[in-house]
Amino acid sequence: MAATILDGKVLAARLRATLATRVAALHFRPGLTVVRVGDDPASGVYVRNKDRAAQEAGFIARTIHLPAATTQAELLGQIAVLNADPAVDGILVQLPLPPQIDAQAAINAVDPAKDVDGFHPINAGRLASGQPGMVPCTPRGVMHLLAESGAPTRGARAVVLGRSQIVGRPMAQLLLTADCTVTIAHSRTADLPAECARADILVAAVGRPELVRADWIKPGAVVLDVGINRLLDGRLAGDVAYAEAAERAGFITPVPGGVGPMTIACLLENTLDAALARRAA
Ligand code: GUN
């Protein structure tokens, strides 16, 4: 039986509309500043999309574009200015950064209260210890999609394929908080297909096009594909072989139009959360 498609475009549009309504009811406009360093073309597209979505939802969105030769000290100086600016509720330093800059140093420099990426070690630690904090946007978006499926999480076996700081690890924490039995599998896992085949909920976040085949999927499973891989012929492919997987899964996210749009909507959700939390503090 063919899987039900979890449409991230529709869900993200609904979430953005809800956020826009909430923002319109405030007596202030939450501010999001995105810092881009250098000219990575993919980052250019992402940053424009974030900026536009924020404007459309009523946020004050600003992009600061620094030259590729920016030094680490200059970037940290810019972040310090944004940390001190009361009109800025959320700061996002777009990755990747040029090689002369230590990305972790930049992440560590962002005020945790304005860290709408949820990458600061304080926020990672809060998530790992079950305390409220900023949650990385992509895993937060995946949890919205999972909720949309209606599939139960309590006691479900969840497998997260990938162990990155940005997706895999926080994703596993959120699934654990939702009472799943969580396995984190990765490139050194002994038998990836066997691990995946046990999953009621499978999140693929490894950046390997169409790695996950139909026979890796438990019939009826919820398959959430975080991968966005550009193929040699220009097509975009996820980490899951979509056409064959859709014949076996119960629910599946397409690429594009699945997790990607949810990441941006959740960035706005985080920015609104940050703005409200800062004013309540
Ligand atoms: N580059 C690709 N994805 C992301 C993201 O979620 N946040 C940041 N800051 N950079 C990225």
Side-chain angles (χ1 to χ4, degrees):
M1 212 189 74
T4 300
I5 294 169
L6 294 170
D7 189 328
K9 275 198 287 204
V10 169
L11 189 57
R14 211 193 306 153
L15 179 53
R16 285 190 278 111
T18 303
L19 293 168
T21 305
R22 290 176 60 200
V23 166
L26 298 173
H27 60 278
F28 66 94
R29 293 174 70 200
L32 170 66
T33 299
V34 178
V35 181
R36 178 185 175 205
V37 188
D39 299 303
D40 179 75
S43 289
V45 176
Y46 293 142
V47 165
R48 271 194 299 282
N49 288 342
K50 289 171 184 175
D51 198 284
R52 192 179 54 217
Q55 303 270 6
E56 283 174 7
F59 292 74
I60 297 174
R62 185 159 60 115
T63 297
I64 296 175
H65 190 178
L66 301 175
T70 299
T71 65
Q72 178 157 324
E74 286 167 340
L75 176 60
L76 297 190
Q78 179 61 253
I79 293 169
V81 169
L82 298 173
N83 283 342
D85 185 342
V88 174
D89 294 295
I91 302 168
L92 183 145
V93 180
Q94 183 68 24
L95 304 177
L97 290 167
Q100 74 276 15
I101 296 175
D102 174 358
Q104 192 62 55
I107 289 166
N108 293 356
V110 175
D111 178 348
K114 298 187 177 188
D115 170 35
V116 287
D117 256 330
F119 294 168
H120 192 287
I122 293 263
N123 283 317
R126 284 179 180 146
L127 182 59
S129 57
Q131 299 173 64
M134 286 287 143
V135 174
C137 306
T138 297
R140 190 172 188 180
V142 170
M143 292 307 288
H144 280 299
L145 287 158
L146 179 56
E148 190 67 10
S149 77
T153 54
R154 186 183 301 169
R157 281 186 188 277
V159 173
V160 179
L161 205 45
R163 55 179 158 177
S164 71
Q165 296 293 116
I166 293 179
V167 183
R169 289 169 200 241
M171 187 75 247
Q173 296 291 351
L174 289 172
L175 290 163
L176 195 55
T177 302
D179 296 326
C180 294
T181 301
V182 182
T183 300
I184 304 179
H186 48 79
S187 56
R188 299 286 181 270
T189 294
D191 189 344
L192 272 180
E195 293 294 344
C196 293
R198 274 194 282 277
D200 303 305
I201 298 163
L202 178 61
V203 181
V206 278
R208 298 259 308 272
E210 302 182 341
L211 174 74
V212 177
R213 314 302 308 194
D215 60 359
W216 297 29
I217 293 169
K218 181 174 175 178
V222 184
V223 177
L224 302 138
D225 190 351
V226 176
I228 302 178
N229 309 288
R230 180 73 63 183
L231 302 181
L232 289 175
D233 65 8
R235 275 187 309 128
L236 282 181
D239 291 348
V240 177
Y242 180 81
E244 60 182 66
E247 292 298 314
R248 220 165 132 99
F251 296 87
I252 192 165
T253 59
V255 176
V259 174
M262 292 304 297
T263 296
I264 294 185
C266 288
L267 171 63
L268 305 184
E269 195 174 35
N270 277 353
T271 304
L272 179 54
D273 285 354
L276 296 175
R278 287 182 59 245
R279 279 161 184 82

